[in-house]
């Protein structure tokens, strides 16, 4: 169905449109359904499937939340190869990379095949994560910020009490979480991409200085604290973790975010990062440094045309 179609403008990051001033603007996700009682998509076992890349910070939000909530048996996961090329993200059948899986549902060769199955006229980008419905053969949602909120509550009736009660978006802290998410998304999560994808000095500097101002602000917030909000693990931590764990291995070099490193410049953020990673398996098991490094340095040929993968830093993350 998809082989004859030229979708390279939708999947080749090098053909991604930039703004007139050389800056990068991320497009909105297209599938935004919710899993809920009496809705089109209800909570069921053996109905949903999650497609991710270990390389992708947005997908890793979903992986971490799935583990924290104990959803492993309810929502199986499939991992793509980190070699995102001209046809987008490949499954292991198209690129047998260690740690990548074949698509167990349709034997798709690339993630774009799933998008076309969901909508033959789809015209957007073929991004991960994808939360898939096996019953309707379509995408429920491809926006990670919503997928993690779905995971947080939609399946609670089917979970044991100790997992149902895990709440990464507690009512009492919602306002604070939302307001942190807003500037962390703009200047940190997406800020590193804006710095890295900029093709003008001005666009780069407009991203990189606010990024480090936000890291300075986060450093103050995390001094003497294990979590960003209250005294509890929330989605604000999850959303920040996925960027910070990639920072020294990839963003410092590849995206030119090199005013400071986390390990040498931000002691409180560094301690927070190491505690989450080493003390909580949901974070460690969702982080694959090899997929991360290979993906960025290999796939983003506009930024790194030689595809040479930087070997450092060693270790990828310091011990506690
Ligand atoms: N807003 C989306 C963004 C997801 C996203 O951009 N994923 C990247 C990987 S890090 C991707 O799949 N890009 C493929 C492409 O743009 O062609 C989310 O948070 O779920």
């Amino acid at each position: 169905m998809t082989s004859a179609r030229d979708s390279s403008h939708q999947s080749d990051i090098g053909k991604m449109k930039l703004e007139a001033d050389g800056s990068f603007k991320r497009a909105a996700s297209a599938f935004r359904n919710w899993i809920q009682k009496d809705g089109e998509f209800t909570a069921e076992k053996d109905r949903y499937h999650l497609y991710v890349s270990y390389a992708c910070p947005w997908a890793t939000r979903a992986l971490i939340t799935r583990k924290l909530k104990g959803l492993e048996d309810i929502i199986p996961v499939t991992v793509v190869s980190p070699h995102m090329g001209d046809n987008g993200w490949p499954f292991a059948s198209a690129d047998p990379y260690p740690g990548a899986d074949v698509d167990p549902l349709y034997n798709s060769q690339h993630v774009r095949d799933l998008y076309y199955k969901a909508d033959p006229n789809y015209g957007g980008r073929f991004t991960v994560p994808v939360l898939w419905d096996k019953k309707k053969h379509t995408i429920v949602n491809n926006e990670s910020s919503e997928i993690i909120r779905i995971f947080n509550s939609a399946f609670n009736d089917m979970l044991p009490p100790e997992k149902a009660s895990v709440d990464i978006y507690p009512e009492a802290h919602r306002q604070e979480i939302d307001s942190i998410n807003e500037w962390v998304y703009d200047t940190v999560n997406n800020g590193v991409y804006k710095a890295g994808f900029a093709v003008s000095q001005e666009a780069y500097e407009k991203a990189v200085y606010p990024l480090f101002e936000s890291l300075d602000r986060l450093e103050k917030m995390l001094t003497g604290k294990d979590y960003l909000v209250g005294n509890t693990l929330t989605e604000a931590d999850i959303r920040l973790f996925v960027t910070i764990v990639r920072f020294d291995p990839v963003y410092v070099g590849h995206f030119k975010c090199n005013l400071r490193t986390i390990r040498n410049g931000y002691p409180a953020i560094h301690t927070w990062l190491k505690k989450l990673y080493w003390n909580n398996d949901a974070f460690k098991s969702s982080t694959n440094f090899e997929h991360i490094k290979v993906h960025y340095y290999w796939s983003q040929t506009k930024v790194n045309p030689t595809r040479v993968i930087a070997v450092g830093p060693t270790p990828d993350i310091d011990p506690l």
Side-chain angles (χ1 to χ4, degrees):
M1 178 181 73
T2 60
S3 52
R5 187 189 309 215
D6 177 15
S7 63
S8 59
H9 63 290
Q10 284 164 261
S11 55
D12 182 350
I13 210 99
K15 293 185 187 158
M16 195 172 49
K17 259 183 79 181
L18 294 173
E19 304 299 292
D21 65 355
S23 66
F24 161 69
K25 204 160 182 187
R26 188 176 294 278
S29 305
F31 297 89
R32 312 295 286 267
N33 303 294
W34 218 262
I35 296 176
Q36 57 200 348
K37 280 200 188 81
D38 311 320
E40 197 187 339
F41 303 92
T42 51
E44 285 168 54
K45 196 169 189 257
D46 288 329
R47 176 162 178 186
Y48 301 102
H49 196 88
L50 182 66
Y51 292 96
V52 299
S53 159
Y54 279 130
C56 172
W58 320 101
T60 305
R61 293 170 166 183
L63 273 179
I64 292 170
T65 308
R66 170 179 172 269
K67 275 264 166 114
L68 283 173
K69 290 292 296 183
L71 290 167
E72 294 96 319
D73 291 340
I74 296 176
I75 304 168
V77 68
T78 292
V79 176
V80 298
S81 157
H83 288 141
M84 192 190 86
D86 291 345
N87 298 315
W89 295 105
F91 290 100
S93 48
D95 182 43
Y97 192 89
D101 302 317
V102 298
D103 173 12
L105 302 185
Y106 312 103
N107 197 27
S108 314
Q109 300 304 294
H110 296 89
V111 166
R112 70 170 184 184
D113 303 348
L114 296 169
Y115 276 85
Y116 285 139
K117 191 178 278 295
D119 175 6
N121 298 315
Y122 183 71
R125 301 197 65 84
F126 309 109
T127 58
V128 288
V130 168
L131 181 59
W132 184 265
D133 178 9
K134 293 191 266 186
K135 204 163 167 179
K136 292 183 187 275
H137 304 284
T138 193
I139 298 174
V140 181
N141 199 304
N142 69 336
E143 169 51 46
S144 61
S145 59
E146 295 180 353
I147 293 174
I148 66 175
R149 290 200 182 160
I150 292 170
F151 286 0
N152 190 43
S153 57
F155 298 91
N156 280 354
D157 287 350
M158 302 159 69
L159 292 172
E162 71 275 12
K163 289 298 183 187
S165 63
V166 171
D167 186 1
I168 60 165
Y169 192 49
E171 199 92 43
H173 294 306
R174 286 192 180 172
Q175 241 182 337
E176 197 181 345
I177 293 169
D178 288 343
S179 91
I180 293 174
N181 284 348
E182 206 176 304
W183 57 267
V184 166
Y185 172 79
D186 184 45
T187 59
V188 182
N189 304 137
N190 202 36
V192 293
Y193 283 88
K194 287 195 278 188
F197 287 162
V199 294
S200 72
Q201 187 68 28
E202 194 193 347
Y204 162 67
E205 289 187 18
K206 246 171 91 178
V208 81
Y209 287 118
L211 161 64
F212 280 88
E213 278 161 27
S214 286
L215 292 177
D216 294 347
R217 185 172 172 189
L218 289 159
E219 176 69 13
K220 287 200 189 97
M221 291 167 68
L222 284 169
T223 300
K225 285 191 69 187
D226 285 340
Y227 305 109
L228 274 173
V229 178
N231 202 15
T232 180
L233 178 67
T234 68
E235 62 166 54
D237 297 295
I238 297 167
R239 291 170 51 129
L240 181 61
F241 173 89
V242 297
T243 299
I244 299 299
V245 80
R246 287 165 177 72
F247 204 88
D248 292 359
V250 172
Y251 301 148
V252 169
H254 180 67
F255 277 172
K256 307 184 184 82
C257 299
N258 63 351
L259 278 173
R260 280 177 285 285
T261 60
I262 299 300
R263 65 191 65 194
N264 294 317
Y266 291 102
I269 299 176
H270 193 207
T271 301
W272 163 90
L273 169 74
K274 289 184 296 180
K275 280 188 179 166
L276 287 178
Y277 181 89
W278 293 108
N279 293 343
N280 192 330
D281 186 60
F283 290 84
K284 185 164 182 285
S285 66
S286 304
T287 305
N288 181 321
F289 286 109
E290 195 196 319
H291 280 224
I292 291 171
K293 286 198 216 179
V294 167
H295 164 63
Y296 283 92
Y297 282 104
W298 189 92
S299 294
Q300 295 167 358
T301 50
K302 261 262 163 68
V303 182
N304 185 38
T306 63
R307 287 186 158 164
V308 172
I309 297 153
V311 293
T314 41
D316 293 311
I317 182 164
D318 279 351
L320 251 183

